[in-house]
Amino acid sequence: MMRFYRIALIIAYLILSLYVHGQNWNKIAMSEQDAMFLLSQRKYDKAADLYLKILKEAPQSGNLKSKVGYCLLHTDSRQLESIPYLESAAELVSTKYSETSIKETNAPPETYFLLGEAYRVSNKLKEAIAAYEKYKSILKPSDELVKLIDNRIAGCNSALKRYKEPTALVRYSGIGSKVNNDFSNINPVFSGDGKTFAYTTQTRTGFDVYVVPVINDTLGVPIKITKQLGSDFLKTSSLSYDGKELFLISMESESADIYYSEMKGVKWMSAKEMPSPINGKSNETHAFLSKNGLTLYFTSDRKGGSGGLDIYKSSMEEKGKWGKPVNLGSTINTEFNEDAPFLSPDESYLFFSSEGHNGMGGYDIYRTSLSGGQAPVNLGFPVNDAGDNRFFYPYNNGTVAYMSQFRPEGLGQNDIFRLQISNLITLNGLIVPDKVNSSLYSVAIVDQSTGDTIAHPIADIASGKFEYKVGEGNFTVFVRGADYLPGKEMISVPENYDGSSMSVEVKLASKPEPKIIEEVKPQPEVLIVEAAVVTPPAAVVEAPIVVVPEANVAEVKKEIVKVVKPEKKRITKPKPEPKPIVVKEEKPVTKFVAQSDSNASGMISIYSVQIMALKTAAPAGTFNNVEGIEVTVSPDGYYRYSVGNTTEVNLANVLLDKMHSIGYADAFIRKSQITSKYTIQLMAIKKMIDLSYFNNLSDVAVVKGADGYFRYTLGSYSSSAAAAGEVKRLAQLGYKQAFVRLVPQGE
């Protein structure tokens, strides 16, 4: 069952192999025993913290670094913290590692496997493959772990492909602070009639089980029943159809077992162990009862299975006893682990988790028809990712589900989320200009619920056609062309839409011919002045004057002298610049924490701090106290000012604190996900220009560099080749100096 079994055994020798020179060995040995006890209780956070204290006493110990990484990797919210410790330990791996020498300072070879797992759950898939390959090179070809390593490598390669081909749109929503809190809240289940909800909260000492009444589809107040059940080592597995019987998994002993409790009146009875042949000497990790109460689906790693945990079913016999379990067979079970089976409400499908079936690296969620014959279907990305996806409760035949996950918008560690899942449909777009020409088009699709631009599909020049896959929701399609006024069209994809495609037509009107206004210059005024002898005071000089020599005074004639009146400068008071209108946005989160974020649409998470959103551009000098500010204009016309695009969550949090400290109290972190490392630079100029200059492009961004230049860029691309194709289109639009630019780390 336990895929870390050998790794756990190797690290268990740590107490024997820790070498500490000149330190209090007795004190360290006692701390080590406490840490091992915490590990046996699956209290990985506490064990990690204790090992970190021990590591301060022996900072060069590869063993301790490997142990710290192992503990952190098993936590709910600190998995990414394991990477630096495992990377450091990997540098000290030795094939001559001794499990019993008290002077051993190297790390065991299994550290490579742990490092591969840490990279995998953090979506560093190429690095994960390299770590797995390194570990495999150490193993003998006959080693049983070779199959597991090959499975992990194949999963990472599969994930790299599936990330580019999402199969569904998933909207996550938390179920509120009545249920979610600072602790890990896990294993959410409903009764078949929808009137009872149950879940488990992992506390500092064990598990608390809660039952929640559901009234008119609204969760009531959670009721803790831990004491009624008689143990704080039980966690929820499933509820019967009527909500009167609760199945639980006991984690008190080394092997897991299935327990059950019945509700009598308003009280739950003390939990009892399921009898043989359901429980045995093996691990039984999950149970689910059919609607009629006559069939029990459960998981076990007992002998005779396909390998690891398998899914079995047992039928109720006439005397009220459970019959001999039947393995569901090789179509469902693999040589790796299968777990957490649930029937859909209509009992036509079985949903389960599996490490086999060519998944994405760890556990994936699958659906299979109980009519038999069909191979299980992977629910695909983004329901699944390269991490471990387990315990998927299907509420509405899979279009609605409940899962426990660690997400940045959560309240603590693992939170329970409601997943609204809709199939992706093809949006067939058609651009219809009022005059046909060879203009290139810029297309942007905006999700109306978030205001975010989700795609820039490429339209065919000749036909004006484009396509993109969307899920349920409301969207606006913006289209711009060099010779046309901007056009837009809204489209709505209803819930449970059963079609495979939907059409949208965007009409464009040509730009009006510009009116040429001839500039008329004012003519100088002509004055007639009689010339005369003038003797001005010596110190006074005025213009214009004509001085006639004394010899010709008598012959003074009238002359016409042209005098140009100096133009009077019209002094006009400058109109006050319009005060920008601040757009109040729903801030998704104040701070982010490091996490394995894989429910986004790409491979790289980008964090930036948004300072302000305005309906009109801010006057020059508004943000003089901020360096490196970036402004983008979305297709809906909003100016968004932000700083610090970075892949490092901690850097974003530091920058957020800085913005708050200098007066931007409403600043918050925005998060986006991209697969790109390249962008297209349109222009670099010392003086900032208004983004309306790029009126035939969408989502042009500008950022001021340390050299004082404002750089205007467009788009993000995963390869330079992909960006090069767009450069050609931009050249035809008039941006002949555009070029592909590698995005610097942290920009």
Side-chain angles (χ1 to χ4, degrees):
M1 168 195 168
M2 304 295 287
R3 64 173 179 268
F4 292 119
Y5 179 69
R6 179 185 294 179
I7 287 81
L9 283 180
I10 295 296
I11 295 179
Y13 284 104
L14 187 59
I15 188 171
L16 297 176
S17 58
L18 178 61
Y19 173 61
V20 184
H21 180 70
Q23 302 295 331
N24 188 336
W25 169 250
N26 290 332
K27 181 180 178 181
I28 293 174
M30 291 179 64
S31 296
E32 168 68 17
Q33 290 177 354
D34 292 340
M36 291 300 295
F37 175 77
L38 290 170
L39 273 180
S40 69
Q41 300 294 307
R42 299 178 178 86
K43 297 176 181 177
Y44 298 108
D45 281 284
K46 287 188 174 182
D49 290 337
L50 186 51
Y51 272 113
L52 284 169
K53 290 182 180 179
I54 302 174
L55 183 60
K56 291 181 179 180
E57 301 293 332
Q60 305 304 319
S61 171
N63 279 320
L64 278 175
K65 293 174 183 177
S66 187
K67 187 69 172 189
V68 169
Y70 176 86
C71 294
L72 290 171
L73 185 58
H74 283 72
T75 63
D76 292 331
S77 59
R78 300 170 63 186
Q79 293 175 319
L80 296 187
E81 294 179 37
S82 68
I83 292 178
Y85 294 100
L86 292 172
E87 287 177 335
S88 181
E91 296 177 357
L92 299 172
V93 165
S94 173
T95 55
K96 297 180 180 180
Y97 170 85
S98 173
E99 298 173 353
T100 57
S101 172
I102 64 172
K103 293 187 177 182
E104 180 63 75
T105 58
N106 293 320
E110 283 71 22
T111 302
Y112 288 128
F113 177 78
L114 294 176
L115 182 58
E117 294 288 272
Y119 283 143
R120 174 178 62 84
V121 300
S122 62
N123 280 319
K124 296 183 176 181
L125 299 179
K126 292 182 180 179
E127 292 90 338
I129 292 172
Y132 290 138
E133 293 281 11
K134 186 71 174 178
Y135 184 48
K136 181 181 176 181
S137 68
I138 297 174
L139 299 174
K140 295 180 180 179
S142 59
D143 196 304
E144 60 180 7
L145 284 178
V146 170
K147 289 183 178 180
L148 175 62
I149 301 304
D150 287 340
N151 173 267
R152 287 290 194 269
I153 293 172
C156 289
N157 284 319
S158 174
L160 289 170
K161 295 178 181 179
R162 289 181 186 268
Y163 278 137
K164 299 177 182 178
E165 302 171 355
T167 59
L169 174 70
V170 180
R171 300 182 189 275
Y172 293 85
S173 56
I175 61 174
S177 57
K178 288 190 296 187
V179 172
N180 292 321
N181 53 34
D182 292 342
F183 296 108
S184 281
N185 302 284
I186 59 175
N187 293 21
V189 294
F190 281 84
S191 59
D193 60 11
K195 296 180 180 180
T196 309
F197 173 68
Y199 67 98
T200 301
T201 296
Q202 187 169 354
T203 69
R204 293 184 178 89
T205 57
F207 299 103
D208 279 338
V209 176
Y210 291 85
V211 172
V212 186
V214 183
I215 303 172
N216 297 326
D217 294 328
T218 301
L219 295 179
V221 178
I223 303 169
K224 185 166 69 172
I225 63 169
T226 309
K227 289 185 178 180
Q228 297 178 39
L229 297 176
S231 172
D232 56 3
F233 286 94
L234 298 169
K235 59 181 181 180
T236 47
S237 181
S238 66
L239 279 163
S240 61
Y241 183 84
D242 61 4
K244 303 296 183 183
E245 190 170 7
L246 175 64
F247 289 90
L248 305 130
I249 305 301
S250 173
M251 307 299 294
E252 190 165 6
S253 60
E254 292 184 1
S255 62
D257 288 308
I258 301 170
Y259 278 64
Y260 70 97
S261 173
E262 295 178 314
M263 187 178 187
K264 293 185 178 179
V266 294
K267 185 178 180 181
W268 289 89
M269 298 294 99
S270 179
K272 297 180 180 179
E273 185 177 358
M274 290 287 289
S276 177
I278 304 302
N279 280 328
K281 295 181 180 180
S282 53
N283 289 282
E284 282 71 42
T285 62
H286 185 79
F288 180 83
L289 190 64
S290 63
K291 180 178 179 179
N292 61 14
L294 299 179
T295 304
L296 185 75
Y297 293 84
F298 68 100
T299 51
S300 175
D301 62 356
R302 62 189 58 194
K303 292 182 180 180
S306 299
L309 289 168
D310 279 4
I311 302 175
Y312 294 80
K313 69 176 182 179
S314 177
S315 299
M316 182 71 73
E317 296 179 339
E318 293 182 0
K319 296 182 180 180
K321 293 184 178 181
W322 291 106
K324 183 178 179 180
V326 177
N327 190 294
L328 294 193
S330 58
T331 301
I332 293 176
N333 293 316
T334 68
E335 60 184 319
F336 303 102
N337 291 320
E338 280 69 45
D339 201 3
F342 288 101
L343 291 177
S344 60
D346 63 4
E347 299 195 340
S348 58
Y349 292 98
L350 180 73
F351 290 82
F352 64 97
S353 301
S354 175
E355 290 183 308
H357 298 292
N358 300 316
M360 294 179 66
Y363 278 98
D364 279 9
I365 309 298
Y366 292 83
R367 181 190 69 237
T368 186
S369 173
L370 289 180
S371 60
Q374 297 93 344
V377 176
N378 189 306
L379 297 193
F381 176 75
V383 175
N384 291 316
D385 57 25
D388 289 323
N389 305 280
R390 303 173 71 176
F391 215 95
F392 176 95
Y393 183 86
Y395 188 77
N396 185 24
N397 290 342
T399 59
V400 174
Y402 288 82
M403 290 187 76
S404 173
Q405 295 183 342
F406 176 75
R407 295 180 61 81
E409 66 266 37
L411 299 179
Q413 298 187 47
N414 279 1
D415 277 6
I416 297 172
F417 288 89
R418 182 181 189 270
L419 282 63
Q420 181 72 45
I421 305 170
S422 59
N423 293 327
L424 289 176
I425 68 162
T426 300
L427 187 64
N428 292 318
L430 178 63
I431 302 171
V432 183
D434 60 355
K435 292 181 181 179
V436 179
N437 58 34
S438 59
S439 176
L440 293 175
Y441 304 109
S442 174
V443 183
I445 301 177
V446 174
D447 187 336
Q448 293 179 18
S449 65
T450 63
D452 294 332
T453 301
I454 61 175
H456 289 285
I458 304 299
D460 181 74
I461 299 176
S463 65
K465 293 181 179 180
F466 63 90
E467 65 178 38
Y468 186 74
K469 289 186 176 182
V470 298
E472 168 200 337
N474 299 311
F475 307 92
T476 302
V477 181
F478 293 87
V479 178
R480 296 189 184 196
D483 303 317
Y484 302 99
L485 296 173
K488 68 177 181 179
E489 192 66 39
M490 290 180 287
I491 189 169
S492 179
V493 181
E495 184 179 354
N496 299 326
Y497 180 73
D498 57 2
S500 60
S501 64
M502 187 174 286
S503 299
V504 60
E505 186 177 286
V506 183
K507 296 181 179 180
L508 294 182
S510 297
K511 288 182 178 179
E513 291 293 330
K515 294 181 180 180
I516 301 175
I517 303 174
E518 184 177 354
E519 184 180 0
V520 180
K521 296 183 178 180
Q523 297 296 321
E525 296 183 35
V526 179
L527 300 179
I528 299 176
V529 180
E530 290 186 0
V533 177
V534 179
T535 309
V540 178
V541 178
E542 294 185 8
I545 52 176
V546 177
V547 181
V548 181
E550 292 183 6
N552 300 324
V553 171
E555 300 179 6
V556 173
K557 297 180 179 179
K558 292 183 179 179
E559 295 182 12
I560 297 176
V561 181
K562 292 184 179 180
V563 180
V564 179
K565 235 182 203 181
E567 280 191 38
K568 293 183 178 180
K569 293 185 179 179
R570 181 174 296 174
I571 302 174
T572 56
K573 294 183 179 180
K575 294 181 180 180
E577 295 194 39
K579 190 176 182 180
I581 302 172
V582 179
V583 181
K584 291 296 184 181
E585 295 189 272
E586 189 68 26
K587 292 181 282 188
V589 69
T590 301
K591 283 201 173 186
F592 282 87
V593 292
Q595 45 118 8
S596 171
D597 184 6
S598 50
N599 290 298
S601 60
M603 298 296 297
I604 305 173
S605 295
I606 301 296
Y607 304 91
S608 62
V609 177
Q610 179 169 311
I611 297 174
M612 194 177 295
L614 308 172
K615 280 195 172 181
T616 59
T622 301
F623 303 103
N624 280 341
N625 59 342
V626 180
E627 294 182 1
I629 192 161
E630 178 177 334
V631 55
T632 58
V633 179
S634 58
D636 53 9
Y638 290 137
Y639 291 74
R640 289 186 167 86
Y641 296 85
S642 59
V643 289
N645 284 342
T646 177
T647 57
E648 299 293 331
V649 179
N650 293 336
L651 292 180
N653 285 327
V654 170
L655 188 55
L656 177 66
D657 291 337
K658 181 179 178 181
M659 293 302 103
H660 287 166
S661 68
I662 62 176
Y664 296 101
D666 292 330
F668 65 94
I669 293 177
R670 267 188 174 276
K671 173 187 162 189
S672 60
Q673 290 184 312
I674 63 172
T675 59
S676 65
K677 295 181 180 178
Y678 299 89
T679 187
I680 297 174
Q681 181 167 309
L682 303 170
M683 181 186 300
I685 190 170
K686 277 280 187 180
K687 184 178 180 181
M688 187 175 182
I689 61 174
D690 192 275
L691 290 177
S692 61
Y693 176 85
F694 307 95
N695 61 356
N696 58 344
L697 300 176
S698 298
D699 284 356
V700 174
V702 56
V703 62
K704 185 177 182 181
D707 56 2
Y709 279 88
F710 292 90
R711 287 179 172 82
Y712 295 81
T713 60
L714 175 70
S716 53
Y717 303 87
S718 57
S719 67
S720 58
E726 184 70 1
V727 168
K728 294 180 181 178
R729 184 182 77 88
L730 291 169
Q732 295 178 9
L733 286 174
Y735 303 98
K736 298 185 182 301
Q737 295 182 349
F739 65 93
V740 179
R741 175 172 175 253
L742 184 67
V743 178
Q745 181 66 29
E747 181 175 311

